[in-house]
Amino acid sequence: MTKLTRFGVSLDQTLLDEFDTYCKDQCYNNRSEALRDLIRAALIQKKCENSQGEVAGTLTIMYNHHESSLAKKITSIQHDIHHIVSSTLHVHLDHDNCLEVLVLKGNADIIKKVSAQIISTKGVKHGQLILTSSDS
Ligand code: NI
């Protein structure tokens, strides 16, 4: 673990009150942990905006497997980027719908492009990409 450094932050009272409410709502026991997480989130977001950045992420999609050739299309896209798809989880949600979670690792730009391609495929009812990085 790296050395902890203390630093002072000046905030107006209203902003501090809002931050304390945020900390309470998010179940933080202290401001420091909440602030660390917010800083990490900002740094990860910055890294994910950089197309050269190496990131990891999960793409969650929900689709109706009865849709003509949809499952085949989604599998085909995944095979095109097999070096980026680390793992997949497929759950048969009910008679019609499938939930799929792809664990992706690699270039941020490619991950964002392919995720958008999958989410926008006709028949995909809902999809969301969450990016993260182990560097922050
Ligand atoms: Ni299924």
Side-chain angles (χ1 to χ4, degrees), residues 63 65 90-93 97-99:
Y63 62 91
H65 73 97
H90 185 106
V91 178
H92 310 303
L93 268 188
N97 296 296
C98 302
L99 173 74

Side-chain angles (χ1 to χ4, degrees), residues 14 17 21 32 37 41 45 48-49 56 63 68-69 87 91 95 108 120:
T14 307
D17 290 345
T21 301
S32 292
D37 282 355
Q45 187 183 340
C48 294
E49 286 167 7
Y63 62 91
S68 166
S69 71
S87 181
V91 178
H95 184 264
S120 65

Side-chain angles (χ1 to χ4, degrees), residues 27-44:
C27 303
Y28 284 106
N29 291 323
N30 60 70
R31 291 172 180 156
S32 292
E33 190 55 31
L35 194 57
R36 279 192 286 269
D37 282 355
L38 287 170
I39 291 169
R40 284 189 201 105
L43 294 174
I44 287 169

Side-chain angles (χ1 to χ4, degrees), residues 43-63:
L43 294 174
I44 287 169
Q45 187 183 340
K46 185 71 190 162
K47 184 166 189 173
C48 294
E49 286 167 7
N50 175 2
S51 64
Q52 299 308 310
E54 291 287 309
V55 297
T58 56
L59 173 65
T60 302
I61 53 170
M62 215 254 293
Y63 62 91

Side-chain angles (χ1 to χ4, degrees), residues 11-121:
L11 295 177
D12 68 59
Q13 191 58 49
T14 307
L15 189 58
L16 184 58
D17 290 345
E18 286 179 24
F19 183 59
D20 284 342
T21 301
Y22 168 86
C23 292
K24 196 177 163 206
D25 290 348
Q26 299 299 315
C27 303
Y28 284 106
N29 291 323
N30 60 70
R31 291 172 180 156
S32 292
E33 190 55 31
L35 194 57
R36 279 192 286 269
D37 282 355
L38 287 170
I39 291 169
R40 284 189 201 105
L43 294 174
I44 287 169
Q45 187 183 340
K46 185 71 190 162
K47 184 166 189 173
C48 294
E49 286 167 7
N50 175 2
S51 64
Q52 299 308 310
E54 291 287 309
V55 297
T58 56
L59 173 65
T60 302
I61 53 170
M62 215 254 293
Y63 62 91
N64 183 334
H65 73 97
H66 295 302
E67 285 272 347
S68 166
S69 71
L70 180 58
K72 224 177 188 179
K73 269 186 212 162
I74 291 171
T75 302
S76 177
I77 293 170
Q78 291 183 48
H79 277 274
D80 288 343
I81 54 154
H82 60 87
H83 56 291
I84 282 176
V85 181
S86 296
S87 181
T88 60
L89 170 72
H90 185 106
V91 178
H92 310 303
L93 268 188
D94 53 37
H95 184 264
D96 300 322
N97 296 296
C98 302
L99 173 74
E100 209 159 287
V101 180
L102 315 182
V103 178
L104 308 164
K105 196 175 141 196
N107 176 276
D109 202 32
I110 294 172
I111 288 175
K112 283 188 278 189
K113 271 184 197 159
V114 171
S115 295
Q117 188 186 356
I118 291 172
I119 291 169
S120 65
T121 301

